[in-house]
């Protein structure tokens, strides 16, 4: 399902996440297994959500503090709807018409998967008791790629893909660089910071390129290309 959004209202609560409490032992065991296979995984803080709904062009939800271990267990085992994952994603469109995607490095939890720069919402995205999803989208893009377009280069509206109790909220960004220039910027960023989360940058230039994407990312890409055909996207 794809939904156009005007804004989000994701309010942080201090109430515990019932899903994490109910599965605490299984979460710990699953985390130990994952770390044994991928030692560079980090159990950082993040949010899972309850009471998620869309009303009047606004995505509402209640954000519960939890950690990456709980998210991984939820993702890998029990997407039962008692918890919902929300993440931000950027649709960076280059001057030569490509959407910037990336293949994830082998040491990450999404090894080999291809999607757009994105990241889970965490306490650093909270302002005034609410989550700033645009701030998350811009931060993740900068951290992963070194690209830091100004807010004015992002479309005002958002689009969200909802699949299997997860929401992927995207904002399209008009980058002032070609794909080749973005590749060079990413390589320089990785050399300067040591960040190696992205194995390679991938240009998504048409519908024919979308089959390799994760399902939610493919849905977002197809929405963009539909916009291009209508003359609304670039």
């Amino acid at each position: 399902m794809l939904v156009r959004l005007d804004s989000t209202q994701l309010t942080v609560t201090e109430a515990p996440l019932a899903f994490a409490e109910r599965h605490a032992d299984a979460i710990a065991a699953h985390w130990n297994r994952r770390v044994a296979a991928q030692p560079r995984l980090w159990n950082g803080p993040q949010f899972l959500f309850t009471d998620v709904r869309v009303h009047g062009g606004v995505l509402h939800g209640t954000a519960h503090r939890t950690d990456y271990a709980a998210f991984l267990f939820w993702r890998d085992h029990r997407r039962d709807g008692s918890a919902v994952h929300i993440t931000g994603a950027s649709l960076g469109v280059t001057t030569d018409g490509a959407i910037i995607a990336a293949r994830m490095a082998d040491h990450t939890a999404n090894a080999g998967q291809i999607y757009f720069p994105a990241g889970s919402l965490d306490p650093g995205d909270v302002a005034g008791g609410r989550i700033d999803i645009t701030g998350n989208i811009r931060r993740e893009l900068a951290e992963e790629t070194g690209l830091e377009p100004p807010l004015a280069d992002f479309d005002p509206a958002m689009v969200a893909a909802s699949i299997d109790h997860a929401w992927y909220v995207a904002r399209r960004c008009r980058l002032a660089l070609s794909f080749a220039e973005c590749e060079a910027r990413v390589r320089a960023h990785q050399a300067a910071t040591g960040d190696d989360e992205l194995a390679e940058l991938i240009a998504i230039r048409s519908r024919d390129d979308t089959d390799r994407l994760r399902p939610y990312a493919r849905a977002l890409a197809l929405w963009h290309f539909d916009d291009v055909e209508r003359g609304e996207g670039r």
Side-chain angles (χ1 to χ4, degrees):
M1 178 177 70
L2 277 179
V3 181
R4 285 183 182 261
L5 299 175
D6 296 318
S7 64
T8 62
Q9 290 189 16
L10 305 175
T11 304
V12 178
T13 180
E14 296 307 318
L17 179 68
F19 175 88
E21 291 191 325
R22 189 164 63 248
H23 300 292
D25 291 342
I27 288 169
H30 181 252
W31 177 252
N32 289 337
R33 289 192 297 271
R34 290 300 303 262
V35 171
Q38 294 176 298
R40 290 180 61 181
L41 292 179
W42 178 60
N43 191 20
Q46 67 169 77
F47 295 102
L48 284 170
F49 293 78
T50 58
D51 304 318
V52 177
R53 66 198 185 282
V54 176
H55 178 72
V58 180
L59 177 66
H60 299 265
T62 301
H64 299 259
R65 298 179 190 274
T66 186
D67 55 26
Y68 194 62
F71 161 70
L72 273 187
F73 178 80
W74 172 87
R75 188 193 74 175
D76 293 348
H77 290 94
R78 295 181 180 273
R79 293 190 177 208
D80 61 4
S82 66
V84 175
H85 186 239
I86 299 175
T87 190
S90 59
L91 289 178
V93 183
T94 65
T95 56
D96 52 342
I99 314 174
I100 290 180
R103 181 172 62 82
M104 302 305 294
D106 290 343
H107 65 80
T108 68
N110 294 317
Q113 296 186 25
I114 300 172
Y115 52 91
F116 305 119
S120 294
L121 304 169
D122 66 36
D125 300 316
V126 177
R130 288 186 176 176
I131 291 174
D132 175 11
I133 202 160
T134 295
N136 167 271
I137 290 168
R138 295 178 70 201
R139 175 176 61 80
E140 290 289 343
L141 179 63
E143 289 179 358
E144 293 183 1
T145 69
L147 301 170
E148 300 185 76
L151 184 58
D153 290 348
F154 285 80
D155 285 4
M158 294 173 277
V159 62
S162 176
I163 299 175
D164 197 14
H165 302 302
W167 286 82
Y168 306 88
V169 181
R171 287 190 72 171
R172 184 166 50 194
C173 173
R174 315 304 176 131
L175 299 168
L177 301 170
S178 69
F179 181 78
E181 289 170 328
C182 289
E183 278 189 306
R185 185 72 62 86
V186 170
R187 286 194 297 268
H189 171 72
Q190 290 179 324
T193 63
D195 189 301
D196 60 353
E197 186 175 358
L198 308 185
E200 64 174 322
L201 221 58
I202 293 174
I204 306 298
R205 297 187 180 276
S206 72
R207 285 182 173 82
D208 294 339
D209 296 329
T210 63
D211 288 346
R212 68 180 84 179
L213 297 170
R214 289 185 64 184
Y216 84 86
R218 184 172 190 269
L220 293 172
L222 291 175
W223 165 82
H224 166 74
F225 292 123
D226 285 345
D227 258 14
V228 169
E229 290 184 359
R230 290 193 297 265
E232 299 176 24
R234 187 177 70 192

